[in-house]
Amino acid sequence: MPNDPDAQGADFGDGRREPGMGSLRGLDFARRERPRRLPRMPARGWPWLLGCVLLAAVLLVMAMRKPLADWLWPQTRAQALRAQAAQALAQGRLTAADGSGARELYAAALAIDPDRDEARAGLAEVAEAALAQARQATAQDRFADAHASLRLARSLSVPRADAAAVATALRKREAAHAGIPGLLKRAEAARESGQLTGNPDAALPLYQRILALQPENTRALEGREDALGELLQQARAQLREGRLAEATAAIDAARSFDPGHVDLPDTQARLNEELDDVRRNAASDLRDGRLERAAERYRLLAAAGQQADADAGLERVAVAWAHRAETMAADFRFAAADAALAQARALAPEITAVSTAGQRVARAQQAHARLGSQVPPRERGRRVARLLAEAKDAEARGDLLAPPGDSAFDKLRAARAIAPDDPAVRKATARLLPAAKQCFERGLSANNLGLARACFDARVALETDAAALASARRRLAGRWLAIGDERLGAGELRGASAALSSARALDPATPGLDDFDRRIRAATAPQR
């Protein structure tokens, strides 16, 4: 404002003017709140924290200094390894199990820095030094050291001619000290006495020792040939006598001394034929129920080195024993059932069929004790008569297998549990057995294998003819196998596996079972 003296300043009339403050109207003198300041952290805690951080950083750097250096500067680490290797080479420490030998150190340097040739050149120097040590050890008759150094030189690709020269010198030196003439006499004496193998003083080990020193020794070559011929002749005689384990050991020994012997292929072929005969005979014994003989043959295969076939066969025999135990228990022949179960457990106690058979035998024994032994004779007779009458009524209604507990077979089974030797029970059993057989055949004809299995179980409870039961079991297992083949052809792998399990549970000796198992495994194997 022009008339405001404070704004214009004072005028004294003589041309002088005092400076003014200017206009104060644009200023805001309202009181405002001061911003709040954040509280300060105590200053005395920071130095300690900073010191801890620095100390941790220093310790970390000290701990990781060498690995970090090796990672950041691998050439430096490789150079250090080459220097250590050169020092080890100069000291004659060519190799060491703990990695401190020249060979190991040069190899480590080469792995870290493969683009430089110093490590390769160092390994070549190690090879030459090893060859020199082999020569020196040979001259000093330190034959074990000489062989070790020669092996090291060859492993490092020393020139073949140089290694061969050292090896020849080593053999000659060893032969001179070994007394070859004396070894030949000992070998020939052992061969004449029939001691062909089995200990270091036998003929073949002695001939082998001589030929290691003098590969061209004619007497040793001819002697070894004759000894091997005699050994294989013994093996063929053992095969004729059925001593497969001894024959197998003799053939394996002959192959270890000379895999190219002229008599070896024929003898091996004879062994294979004998082993195949044992397999066929064992399978035949198993199918025909000659379980003891089958087990003996499979054990013979094990002794002859065919462990996988033997284990599989003995497991099948164990399953057959388990089935026999169940059949005998169903006929209340508990002593025989226990004996069969013991045979199964001795062969393969861990398989499911054996444990299941044990449970069923135990339940049959408990049921027999509960129904028979606690019942007075007069009451036992009345109860048996009532059960047989109910069984006859169920048979008349056609309820042979169902309903459970009220079927003709269930009633007859209960009567047999009380009085298995009762003439009326035996007569009823003889009457119902044909019905069970017809039911079984009807199930097979209709491809209703569930019905066939139920009827077969009824036959197990009624029939005492073990051969007939074995035949029925094999037929039912074969039908399951045929169904499994159809399922596999249709791509139904789960159904095929289930059919295989049913067949194996019924009769593990079913022909074609192993082949079908291999086909399923091949079909279910992941594609590469």
Side-chain angles (χ1 to χ4, degrees), residues 281-291 294 298 313 316-317 320 508-509:
N281 292 333
S284 177
D285 290 335
L286 179 57
R287 286 193 300 270
D288 295 337
R290 297 186 294 269
L291 304 185
Y298 284 124
R316 290 192 290 269
V317 175

Side-chain angles (χ1 to χ4, degrees), residues 59-251:
L59 293 176
L60 181 62
V61 170
M62 292 179 64
M64 298 296 294
R65 178 172 56 85
K66 192 172 183 297
L68 285 173
D70 292 345
W71 178 65
L72 294 174
W73 301 286
Q75 296 84 359
T76 303
R77 174 59 178 160
Q79 183 177 359
L81 288 171
R82 289 194 296 270
Q84 296 173 20
Q87 182 179 2
L89 177 61
Q91 296 173 353
R93 291 186 290 106
L94 304 186
T95 184
D98 62 357
S100 62
R103 175 189 183 178
E104 291 77 19
L105 292 169
Y106 276 128
L110 185 61
I112 294 176
D113 190 7
D115 296 330
R116 299 179 67 90
D117 293 332
E118 288 90 337
R120 293 187 180 87
L123 289 173
E125 293 180 11
V126 174
E128 293 296 335
L131 205 60
Q133 286 187 356
R135 293 192 188 96
Q136 183 179 5
T138 300
Q140 297 175 353
D141 297 334
R142 293 185 289 108
F143 301 126
D145 293 341
H147 281 291
S149 297
L150 185 58
R151 284 194 298 270
L152 175 60
R154 282 173 166 164
S155 69
L156 293 173
S157 302
V158 77
R160 292 185 178 179
D162 296 343
V166 174
T168 300
L170 177 57
R171 282 198 303 270
K172 290 181 179 179
R173 191 83 175 187
E174 282 186 297
H177 283 72
I180 298 298
L183 290 177
L184 282 170
K185 290 181 179 179
R186 289 168 55 192
E188 291 166 354
R191 182 171 63 84
E192 291 174 0
S193 64
Q195 299 179 13
L196 302 180
T197 187
N199 61 77
D201 293 326
L204 284 169
L206 288 173
Y207 282 129
Q208 195 79 351
R209 180 180 173 186
I210 295 168
L211 292 173
L213 300 174
Q214 292 182 349
E216 305 300 328
N217 190 299
T218 304
R219 284 179 61 186
L221 288 171
E222 293 176 351
R224 186 184 66 174
E225 187 76 9
D226 293 340
L228 286 173
E230 294 173 9
L231 181 62
L232 292 174
Q233 184 178 358
Q234 291 179 7
R236 291 190 291 272
Q238 291 163 347
L239 288 175
R240 289 191 295 271
E241 297 170 2
R243 297 153 58 190
L244 295 186
E246 298 176 22
T248 301
I251 293 171

Side-chain angles (χ1 to χ4, degrees), residues 366-418:
Q366 293 170 2
H368 181 262
R370 184 173 59 253
L371 294 175
S373 60
Q374 302 299 326
V375 180
R378 183 175 300 178
E379 175 63 24
R380 185 183 308 164
R382 287 195 294 267
R383 186 175 297 183
V384 167
R386 185 175 68 253
L387 288 170
L388 291 178
E390 293 173 352
K392 190 173 182 179
D393 293 340
E395 181 184 2
R397 295 192 305 269
D399 297 337
L400 296 179
L401 297 172
D406 289 328
S407 68
F409 289 123
D410 287 337
K411 296 296 184 180
L412 181 56
R413 184 181 293 112
R416 294 183 65 199
I418 297 174

Side-chain angles (χ1 to χ4, degrees), residues 279 298 301-316 514:
R279 293 187 185 94
Y298 284 124
L301 287 178
Q306 310 298 309
Q307 194 64 48
D309 290 345
D311 290 343
L314 289 173
E315 183 172 317
R316 290 192 290 269
D514 293 337

Side-chain angles (χ1 to χ4, degrees), residues 246-263:
E246 298 176 22
T248 301
I251 293 171
D252 290 343
R255 183 179 292 106
S256 68
F257 288 110
D258 183 10
H261 192 273
V262 65
D263 292 337

Side-chain angles (χ1 to χ4, degrees), residues 13-28:
D14 56 0
R16 292 183 296 115
R17 293 181 65 88
E18 291 291 333
M21 297 177 58
S23 176
L24 300 178
R25 293 184 179 184
L27 298 180
D28 184 5

